[in-house]
Amino acid sequence: MKRERIRNFCIIAHIDHGKSTLADRFLEITETVPRQKMADQYLDRMELERERGITIKAQAVRMEWAPEEGEPYRLNLIDTPGHVDFSYEVSRSLAACEGAVLLVDAAQGVEAQTVGNAYLAVEAGLTLIPVVNKIDLPAADVEGTAMELADLLGIDPSEVLGVSAKTGEGVEELLQRIVREVPPPGGDPGLPLRALVFDSSYDTYRGVVAFIRVVEGRVSQGDRVLFMASGTRAEVDEVGYFSPDMTSCRELEAGDVGYIITGVKDVSRIKVGDTVTGHERPAPEPLPGYREPKPMVFAGIYPVDSDDFQELEDALQKLKLNDASLTFVRENSKALGFGFRCGFLGLLHMEIVQERLEREYGLDLVITAPNVVYEVVKRNGEVIHIQSPSDLPDMAVVREIREPYVQATILVPPDYVGPVLELVKERRGIYQDMTYLSGRRVELRCRLPLAEMVVDFYDQLKSRSRGYASLDYEHLGFLPGDLVRLDILIHGEPVDALSSIVERGRAHEYGKRVVVRLRELIPRQLFDVPVQAAVGSRVVARETIKARRKDVLAKCYGGDVTRKKKLLEKQKEGKKRMKMVGKVEIPQEAFISALRMGREERPR
């Protein structure tokens, strides 16, 4: 097909504004999917996506559509996620497109993610088509939303198109605008091959499937190719496109979006963001890749059964292929054995990875409380980054601990500004400014420590604004804070998996909650077991698990009192001796429950 009749575009929007439903209407109108096979959210193929009603992975699909004048157009659509944790998926999708449909819910108006995604698309140099969705709803304010969108993009409100993805109203007109306004892809099919790997997946029988956008040249079955960043050489076993199932074809050329299968089984040899070129006729330089995602939330993942360690490593390797923002390194804990310290973009990302590991790979896992990466400045000027509280050096050699901060943008109706500002203050946030976008929407900007956000900030924000507030954030860097490491000691022994880094003023409150919980969960031993929370050598909270006592006086039916005293003294001596040599076995449930403490809501 001539490149003049190819259009590559994606749909970007805030979570739950109707991206996947609009993609369904595109598939119906272009007759890409037969009517009898059609289902709601057709492109959300993952079981988790269907359960939660959210898009987690960006999905590509090729559609053929002919307007009334005749010759068909090839439309390559990428449906993207909306949640802030998956904005990395959005940035990768934008690199494979020339245009973007910016979708806004007519009842909700412009939300925090709408603003963030619009800026991403403008930075990527894409043609934006502003669209107001859900115009069929009784609560829809089409004119007001169009005004907000026009103000955001600096355009005339008449350029904003109104559609209903549910009923199909206005969708055909939107397709005509895409064909008219989105430019065709550039690139020369005669030049050496250069294709960008924008995603990948793993097939048990065929190895790595690389999803590519061909920028220059062409690729066919049987070609010898080179992955420029990793230096991997391979032969192309299959070339194809998504419609939306994988469909093989003869070749892909400049402007096309599709996939190649090379039979490479080692998942580390094909990286997202790499450039594919010809082996005999390589390109002089690779395409600009992606900015490496920086994980901001860390947690330890351990198998409940230590024999599953190798299966967990294989599962993480395969998952990383499909999710390039996941990072992991091996670590060892005295309490939990061998596992991995994993990095995530946010808390939802962590939950999704955990559920995918448990469902897709059948693993039984223990996940430690999430924490963030800290920057530690030693007294000799050396700067180190620590991902786990147990890695924090002795405070005697530490000059300063810096924690990551985010620039948060919160959009909220005017009635709920007070409760939201109170929440920001509780979470050590620094309020910056407030802008009234319209009579029904206020934009608050503030700085927040990321550690305060990874617990339950989003849930609290939603509950205090009755679900109306929306949040977007970007990472600012590291700022100094008054932070300490809180250790949990059981029978005088520190338990590394339960350590955490907290603000000095909250050490007692957090420590008290953990030790009270552990006292309830750890079974009683034959001797008293102290459970302590300590900052350095100073104990800030303590509980004692009382000893189990055998009734040694049961056999004394009266008689001399000295006989009873002698038996009690003997028991006391035995307990004293046992306390010196005794070990406390902490059950797995106690660990799991105590580690979840960090995720629970703080007492008000």
Side-chain angles (χ1 to χ4, degrees):
M1 181 174 277
K2 294 176 186 168
R3 268 176 304 121
E4 291 72 38
R5 302 195 79 78
I6 296 176
R7 300 290 183 270
N8 297 318
F9 71 100
C10 59
I11 308 173
I12 54 175
H14 188 82
I15 192 167
D16 208 25
H17 278 208
K19 295 180 296 299
S20 299
T21 310
L22 181 61
D24 289 349
R25 295 296 80 74
F26 284 158
L27 294 175
E28 272 183 8
I29 289 171
T30 60
E31 297 178 357
T32 304
V33 178
R35 205 168 280 276
Q36 62 270 23
K37 281 191 177 180
M38 199 63 203
D40 287 345
Q41 275 85 45
Y42 189 86
L43 292 181
D44 291 346
R45 317 303 282 273
M46 213 188 292
E47 186 186 344
L48 262 176
E49 292 180 311
R50 294 199 162 278
E51 262 181 40
R52 289 174 175 247
I54 59 171
T55 303
I56 295 166
K57 287 294 301 170
Q59 294 289 343
V61 59
R62 177 191 285 193
M63 304 176 290
E64 301 277 340
W65 183 65
E68 289 166 13
E69 70 263 17
E71 202 178 334
Y73 283 88
R74 179 180 295 166
L75 307 175
N76 290 315
L77 159 69
I78 299 178
D79 179 26
T80 63
H83 196 279
V84 65
D85 280 12
F86 305 116
S87 55
Y88 177 65
E89 288 276 328
V90 179
S91 70
R92 294 201 333 229
S93 305
L94 296 178
C97 300
E98 278 81 38
V101 174
L102 181 64
L103 204 62
V104 179
D105 186 329
Q108 302 283 340
V110 169
E111 301 264 31
Q113 221 64 49
T114 315
V115 179
N117 286 335
Y119 290 158
L120 274 176
V122 170
E123 281 172 25
L126 267 59
T127 301
L128 270 180
I129 299 176
V131 177
V132 174
N133 188 24
K134 306 189 186 181
I135 59 173
D136 58 310
L137 290 180
D141 178 9
V142 182
E143 285 182 16
T145 306
M147 285 291 290
E148 283 184 15
L149 202 45
D151 288 346
L152 174 68
L153 302 174
I155 57 171
D156 193 88
S158 62
E159 293 178 45
V160 179
L161 188 63
V163 305
S164 168
K166 189 176 178 183
T167 64
E169 183 186 344
V171 177
E172 196 146 342
E173 192 185 333
L174 172 58
L175 278 172
Q176 286 169 352
R177 274 193 67 174
I178 289 166
V179 164
R180 199 166 57 243
E181 295 180 22
V182 175
D188 183 351
L191 289 172
L193 169 68
R194 284 206 303 173
L196 184 68
V197 180
F198 68 89
D199 207 348
S200 52
S201 67
Y202 188 81
D203 185 299
T204 312
Y205 303 104
R206 310 173 77 187
V208 179
V209 180
F211 301 0
I212 60 168
R213 155 72 199 269
V214 184
V215 177
E216 289 168 354
R218 46 169 55 94
V219 59
S220 314
Q221 187 178 345
D223 285 359
R224 298 271 298 157
V225 293
L226 165 70
F227 291 86
M228 295 179 85
S230 62
T232 303
R233 290 176 165 76
E235 187 174 318
V236 178
D237 295 337
E238 186 182 311
V239 174
Y241 58 89
F242 306 94
S243 76
D245 298 314
M246 287 164 65
T247 309
S248 61
C249 64
R250 198 167 54 81
E251 70 172 13
L252 294 172
E253 63 174 42
D256 283 335
V257 174
Y259 68 89
I260 57 170
I261 300 174
T262 55
V264 173
K265 290 281 173 78
D266 182 356
V267 296
S268 63
R269 289 171 60 193
I270 296 180
K271 292 184 168 64
V272 168
D274 203 346
T275 300
V276 186
T277 189
H279 181 233
E280 281 81 22
R281 191 180 165 215
E285 58 182 32
L287 294 162
Y290 306 107
R291 206 171 53 212
E292 279 291 311
K294 284 197 171 64
M296 297 310 290
V297 176
F298 290 86
I301 297 186
Y302 297 86
V304 168
D305 182 354
S306 56
D307 292 343
D308 291 342
F309 176 76
Q310 193 54 52
E311 283 84 344
L312 175 58
E313 185 168 28
D314 293 344
L316 282 168
Q317 289 276 11
K318 288 171 186 171
L319 205 58
K320 181 169 172 59
L321 189 70
N322 195 231
D323 182 356
S325 53
L326 172 68
T327 64
F328 59 91
V329 292
R330 290 186 182 204
E331 77 169 359
N332 182 19
S333 159
K334 288 178 193 168
L336 299 170
F338 287 99
F340 294 91
R341 168 72 31 182
C342 299
F344 310 94
L345 297 180
L347 223 55
L348 177 66
H349 186 208
M350 184 178 94
E351 279 179 40
I352 295 297
V353 167
Q354 180 187 355
E355 285 201 45
R356 287 187 71 183
L357 287 170
E358 288 174 346
R359 287 184 188 202
E360 295 174 24
Y361 301 96
L363 294 164
D364 207 358
L365 304 171
V366 177
I367 300 215
T368 65
N371 61 275
V372 298
V373 63
Y374 292 92
E375 196 172 79
V376 177
V377 183
K378 292 186 175 180
R379 293 198 183 279
N380 62 4
E382 185 190 350
V383 178
I384 58 170
H385 289 88
I386 61 159
Q387 299 168 2
S388 169
S390 55
D391 297 338
L392 188 67
D394 187 348
M395 294 305 287
V397 300
V398 173
R399 183 199 302 162
E400 186 177 67
I401 302 175
R402 298 175 188 153
E403 60 181 328
Y405 268 71
V406 296
Q407 178 72 59
T409 305
I410 302 169
L411 267 67
V412 63
D415 298 354
Y416 303 108
V417 169
V420 169
L421 285 175
E422 188 186 330
L423 174 66
V424 168
K425 187 180 173 188
E426 278 174 26
R427 297 304 170 87
R428 302 189 284 130
I430 305 161
Y431 165 74
Q432 288 173 299
D433 60 41
M434 184 191 305
T435 311
Y436 279 79
L437 297 179
S438 65
R440 58 177 193 165
R441 194 71 90 245
V442 179
E443 182 185 86
L444 298 173
R445 288 170 59 78
C446 56
R447 289 181 173 187
L448 280 160
L450 185 62
E452 295 288 341
M453 288 185 70
V454 300
V455 184
D456 63 344
F457 183 83
Y458 190 69
D459 297 342
Q460 283 288 309
L461 181 67
K462 284 290 183 190
S463 66
R464 295 194 192 191
S465 64
R466 298 199 181 169
Y468 287 112
S470 62
L471 168 74
D472 187 28
Y473 61 86
E474 58 183 39
H475 300 291
L476 269 180
F478 293 87
L479 296 175
D482 187 13
L483 305 167
V484 291
R485 184 174 77 194
L486 184 76
D487 291 314
I488 303 297
L489 289 79
I490 295 175
H491 195 43
E493 290 286 321
V495 182
D496 55 350
L498 296 177
S499 296
S500 54
I501 294 175
V502 295
E503 193 197 12
R504 191 182 296 276
R506 291 187 180 166
H508 168 70
E509 173 210 330
Y510 181 81
K512 186 72 179 169
R513 280 169 44 227
V514 175
V515 297
V516 166
R517 190 65 170 270
L518 285 170
R519 188 195 65 192
E520 295 164 3
L521 294 164
I522 296 173
R524 290 166 74 179
Q525 311 291 313
L526 292 171
F527 50 92
D528 284 357
V529 176
V531 181
Q532 300 163 307
V535 174
S537 58
R538 187 168 66 90
V539 174
V540 294
R542 171 186 168 130
E543 292 288 325
T544 304
I545 302 166
K546 294 309 248 180
R548 261 197 344 236
R549 298 195 65 173
K550 183 182 175 185
D551 188 2
V552 292
L553 304 179
K555 58 189 176 187
C556 299
Y557 299 109
D560 189 3
V561 71
T562 55
R563 171 76 178 140
K564 292 182 180 177
K565 279 187 178 174
K566 188 178 175 185
L567 286 168
L568 288 170
E569 283 298 322
K570 200 172 177 184
Q571 185 187 43
K572 200 168 166 186
E573 283 296 317
K575 288 196 180 296
K576 196 172 177 183
R577 201 162 51 246
M578 198 178 285
K579 189 171 183 177
M580 289 164 68
V581 297
K583 284 234 181 276
V584 182
E585 286 295 322
I586 305 170
Q588 199 82 37
E589 301 78 51
F591 262 115
I592 296 166
S593 190
L595 291 169
R596 284 190 183 136
M597 290 289 298
R599 302 185 208 181
E600 289 181 359
E601 189 178 326
R602 290 189 175 88
R604 293 295 308 279

